[in-house]
Amino acid sequence: MEFNLYVLAACFLLLCLLAYQEVKRANKHWLIARLTATLLAVVTLALMAIPITANYESRQHNSTLILLTPGFNADSLDHLPQKRYFTDETLAPLLKGKANFIPDLAYHLAATPAIKKVSVYGYGLPDEELKKLENIPLEFHPAEKPSGIIACHWNDQLHEGETLTVQGQYHNSSPKALNLKLMGFGQTLDSAQITAKATAKFSLQHPLRQKGRALLKLVALQGKDTLNQELIPIQTIAKTSLKITILGSSPGFEYNFLKRWLYENRYQVALRNRISKAQYSIEFLNRTSFELNRLSTQLFQKEDVLLIDQQEFENLSTPEKQAVKQAVGQGLGLILLAQQPNSTEPWIKSLNLAAGKKQEKINQLSLQQTKLATLPEQVPFLIGNIADQQALVLDGASIVAVQRLYGKGNIVATTLPQSYQWSLAGHQHDYALYWTTLLEAAARAKNPTYLLQALGNAPGAGNRLNFTLATPAPTVPLINHHQQSLSSKQNMLFDNRWQFHDWSFQPGWQSLTINGQKHYFFVFGKENWQALSANQRLERHIAHAALHTPTNNSPETKILTQKIVSKWWFFIAFVFAAGFLWFENRLYNKN
């Protein structure tokens, strides 16, 4: 206050001195204008030294809590009431005192029972804080959709030789197209182009031969500029070598191509082709030889899959048929190549084979929602739809291959007799996918193992990590992390499944010990998957706000706020006034 008085006194004396000099000046032509400019210059000089405040009136519902979250529009702050709050500490440098920090949202709501509505600006609150608003109406003002990968999923645990598939959505807000690349092992594994100003789906694939853990990258490139990159952690498990016995009614291309593919993929194969009524051609690949002329239940006890065509099965003796049925009932997997719909064998009749119209080409073959390449004329008959059969391969809406249970084993039947034509046409991926699916569907069930899954697409450091665990038995698992024991909660429906949580503050590969076995999972850093996390928050808040719509009958309060007037306005006025005095003085001296 004393400083302001000193400034006013000094400016008053300065004004008197300048006005006296103007009055004593010989040229009186511009006297009034010069006195006005002098007064304006001195007043604006004083106002630049003394802060001037202006009062503004705003209206706010006195029962509304305004929360600012990451992604809010900074330009909209001037239009919001003065009482604003935030819960994310990282916003403090950006807000610079323009909002108040709430360290505990639940405590603040409990301490302020007058709050009946919450207005959220930006991408939204974390899940833990959003749950605290379960019983409070929410008014959501979403930020613009973030640019980058807004949805992504991949199969992070694969067996050796399986195909990694990374699928998702990319929102490109740039006016230029960009390339999205899956990179790893020092090379580009697959790529896709994302058009400008669009949200596009992408699907990137790569067959994996490497074993163990690896970190791949999903990189968005625009020319030479890297827009963003995200980590894709994967774990490749060594493939279990199945023991497969093949019984063919005669040699043929189907068996020749199949045995070559099985050999290259390191399956243990025993192949027997009938040459005459009592003579066979026998081959052993990737395994030692054994007696295969006579079939018995003991022989099949060590096998995982038996593949046999319909004609050969009908040619078996009654004891051999009983041995096959008994082995399947005890867990052996059976793949049956159906060849004709009219059969007297009860097992084959139970498949409900039906004659179908022959086609020039098969254009609609699909497997696990994956379309397969076109094949020449095949499948003269189809498999009927029965309640205890699960479709594996479809031709449009018709069934080509099915899976069904028989005792402890699985029976897979297919009417596709010439799958080798995929290999001839260069469609190796379709051929491998077809036979891998049939073998996995039929294979003897292995001893159950532990299955650990981290919930959420991108568990991050510093956040709560939620896990589900499937165990071989319903006994309580012993779980340790960083030499600390973790407690688990048993699932109400499945007694061998458990839920537990943990905290990790270091990004990277982490390990859990479950009953003495080590299991790995990956924890992302805070800089990873920011666009995906922001988009998920947007979607959750939009859905939450739709279920918790606020009413507009809450009373309003007038809020009178003060704001300091910018000194730049006074500086500009001072420059104009001083400039006029200087210009007029130069003009007077010339005259």
Side-chain angles (χ1 to χ4, degrees):
M1 188 65 182
E2 293 182 358
F3 174 77
N4 294 345
L5 293 176
Y6 293 147
V7 171
L8 291 175
C11 290
F12 178 75
L13 294 176
L14 179 61
L15 177 61
C16 293
L17 177 61
L18 294 177
Y20 175 76
Q21 290 181 348
E22 293 297 334
V23 173
K24 296 291 293 181
R25 188 168 173 234
N27 187 355
K28 308 293 185 181
H29 181 67
W30 292 92
L31 180 60
I32 301 300
R34 287 187 62 86
L35 287 174
T36 303
T38 301
L39 176 62
L40 178 62
V42 175
V43 170
T44 53
L45 185 63
L47 293 177
M48 282 190 289
I50 301 174
I52 303 299
T53 59
N55 294 330
Y56 294 90
E57 183 182 286
S58 60
R59 295 178 180 269
Q60 178 183 359
H61 292 277
N62 55 7
S63 60
T64 301
L65 175 67
I66 296 178
L67 286 177
L68 304 179
T69 64
F72 73 92
N73 187 358
D75 296 335
S76 65
L77 290 183
D78 294 336
H79 305 289
L80 296 177
Q82 184 66 21
K83 290 187 177 180
R84 303 179 287 259
Y85 300 89
F86 65 99
T87 60
D88 191 339
E89 294 181 353
T90 59
L91 295 179
L94 179 63
L95 291 170
K96 298 179 181 179
K98 296 180 181 179
N100 300 320
F101 176 64
I102 298 179
D104 190 331
L105 181 58
Y107 177 81
H108 182 82
L109 294 173
T112 317
I115 295 176
K116 304 299 180 183
K117 182 180 74 173
V118 176
S119 292
V120 178
Y121 291 77
Y123 293 134
L125 299 165
D127 288 347
E128 295 78 9
E129 294 188 350
L130 183 61
K131 292 178 182 178
K132 300 172 184 177
L133 306 179
E134 188 64 33
N135 299 320
I136 300 178
L138 175 65
E139 185 179 65
F140 186 47
H141 303 270
E144 294 183 0
K145 183 178 292 188
S147 182
I149 301 172
I150 58 175
C152 192
H153 178 76
W154 63 92
N155 45 337
D156 56 350
Q157 293 187 4
L158 307 97
H159 287 87
E160 182 185 359
E162 290 184 348
T163 299
L164 168 68
T165 302
V166 182
Q167 296 178 324
Q169 284 186 325
Y170 193 102
H171 176 61
N172 183 13
S173 59
S174 168
K176 297 181 181 180
L178 57 87
N179 288 323
L180 189 63
K181 294 186 177 182
L182 178 63
M183 306 182 71
F185 314 113
Q187 59 181 331
T188 299
L189 307 179
D190 199 0
S191 63
Q193 189 175 49
I194 309 297
T195 57
K197 293 289 184 179
T199 300
K201 295 182 179 180
F202 63 86
S203 180
L204 306 175
Q205 295 182 332
H206 180 72
L208 290 176
R209 301 292 182 186
Q210 294 79 6
K211 299 179 183 179
R213 302 183 302 279
L215 274 181
L216 310 183
K217 289 184 179 181
L218 202 56
V219 184
L221 296 172
Q222 199 170 69
K224 296 182 179 180
D225 297 330
T226 301
L227 300 183
N228 49 61
Q229 59 181 5
E230 304 294 352
L231 299 177
I232 305 289
I234 58 171
Q235 300 184 65
T236 307
I237 305 170
K239 179 188 291 185
T240 302
S241 179
L242 296 178
K243 294 181 178 180
I244 303 172
T245 297
I246 302 176
L247 304 179
S249 58
S250 62
F253 289 110
E254 184 74 354
Y255 291 126
N256 286 334
F257 277 86
L258 179 58
K259 75 176 183 180
R260 184 187 309 167
W261 179 81
L262 293 172
Y263 173 75
E264 292 174 350
N265 286 273
R266 290 177 284 181
Y267 289 97
Q268 300 181 48
V269 181
L271 172 62
R272 191 189 80 175
N273 276 314
R274 187 181 294 270
I275 299 176
S276 63
K277 184 175 181 180
Q279 291 185 343
Y280 306 99
S281 170
I282 300 176
E283 296 179 73
F284 296 94
L285 306 174
N286 295 329
R287 65 187 307 182
T288 57
S289 61
F290 57 90
E291 175 58 40
L292 196 57
N293 285 318
R294 300 186 65 179
L295 306 180
S296 64
T297 305
Q298 292 75 17
L299 183 149
F300 293 128
Q301 286 179 349
K302 298 181 180 180
E303 301 301 295
D304 296 309
V305 177
L306 170 64
L307 189 150
I308 187 170
D309 59 56
Q310 179 181 341
Q311 183 178 350
E312 179 62 17
F313 182 79
E314 293 174 344
N315 289 335
L316 297 179
S317 64
T318 300
E320 289 178 326
K321 291 179 182 178
Q322 292 299 325
V324 171
K325 293 180 180 180
Q326 184 177 355
V328 174
Q330 295 176 353
L332 174 69
L334 175 66
I335 298 179
L336 179 64
L337 304 182
Q339 295 170 314
Q340 58 181 354
N342 300 321
S343 176
T344 59
E345 177 60 43
W347 249 23
I348 300 176
K349 290 177 65 176
S350 65
L351 295 174
N352 194 22
L353 302 178
K357 184 179 180 181
K358 291 187 177 183
Q359 307 175 62
E360 293 183 0
K361 286 186 178 182
I362 300 175
N363 297 308
Q364 300 179 347
L365 274 181
S366 61
L367 184 152
Q368 296 177 345
Q369 298 182 349
T370 301
K371 290 185 178 181
L372 301 177
T374 299
L375 285 177
E377 178 185 350
Q378 291 188 38
V379 194
F381 58 95
L382 301 167
I383 301 177
N385 190 4
I386 304 177
D388 63 347
Q389 294 183 164
Q390 177 184 355
L392 293 178
V393 182
L394 297 174
D395 177 14
S398 303
I399 301 175
V400 173
V402 296
Q403 176 192 21
R404 67 188 303 184
L405 294 175
Y406 184 84
K408 296 181 179 179
N410 295 295
I411 298 177
V412 172
T414 177
T415 60
L416 196 66
Q418 299 178 16
S419 63
Y420 68 88
Q421 295 191 22
W422 271 317
S423 185
L424 282 177
H427 301 297
Q428 302 294 343
H429 176 73
D430 298 274
Y431 183 80
L433 181 60
Y434 171 77
W435 279 109
T436 299
T437 302
L438 297 189
L439 290 171
E440 290 180 350
R444 184 190 297 271
K446 300 296 182 181
N447 293 328
T449 57
Y450 296 94
L451 178 60
L452 177 69
Q453 289 183 320
L455 301 182
N457 278 8
N463 298 324
R464 173 169 163 164
L465 308 178
N466 298 310
F467 296 92
T468 61
L469 175 65
T471 57
T475 55
V476 179
L478 300 177
I479 306 172
N480 289 281
H481 186 212
H482 295 313
Q483 299 180 349
Q484 292 185 351
S485 179
L486 303 179
S487 59
S488 58
K489 180 181 178 182
Q490 192 174 29
N491 190 285
M492 297 293 291
L493 298 177
F494 305 97
D495 57 3
N496 68 325
R497 296 190 179 183
W498 312 82
Q499 294 86 35
F500 65 94
H501 68 270
D502 193 16
W503 296 83
S504 181
F505 298 95
Q506 295 296 328
W509 286 106
Q510 308 282 334
S511 64
L512 287 169
T513 302
I514 303 174
N515 291 343
Q517 296 184 16
K518 187 170 288 187
H519 298 263
Y520 292 91
F521 62 95
F522 190 84
V523 178
F524 293 91
K526 293 183 179 180
E527 70 280 3
N528 299 129
W529 299 104
Q530 292 184 0
L532 183 144
S533 177
N535 189 67
Q536 289 179 342
R537 284 192 185 186
L538 285 175
E539 293 178 348
R540 284 193 292 266
H541 279 68
I542 292 173
H544 185 94
L547 297 175
H548 300 80
T549 305
T551 58
N552 296 322
N553 55 2
S554 56
E556 289 185 340
T557 299
K558 294 182 180 179
I559 300 176
L560 192 64
T561 58
Q562 289 185 338
K563 185 175 181 180
I564 298 177
V565 180
S566 176
K567 295 181 180 180
W568 284 101
W569 297 108
F570 306 126
F571 177 75
I572 294 172
F574 174 80
V575 170
F576 274 107
F580 171 76
L581 294 174
W582 174 82
F583 176 76
E584 195 280 335
N585 187 52
R586 291 289 300 270
L587 186 62
Y588 168 73
N589 291 334
K590 287 183 179 180
N591 296 333

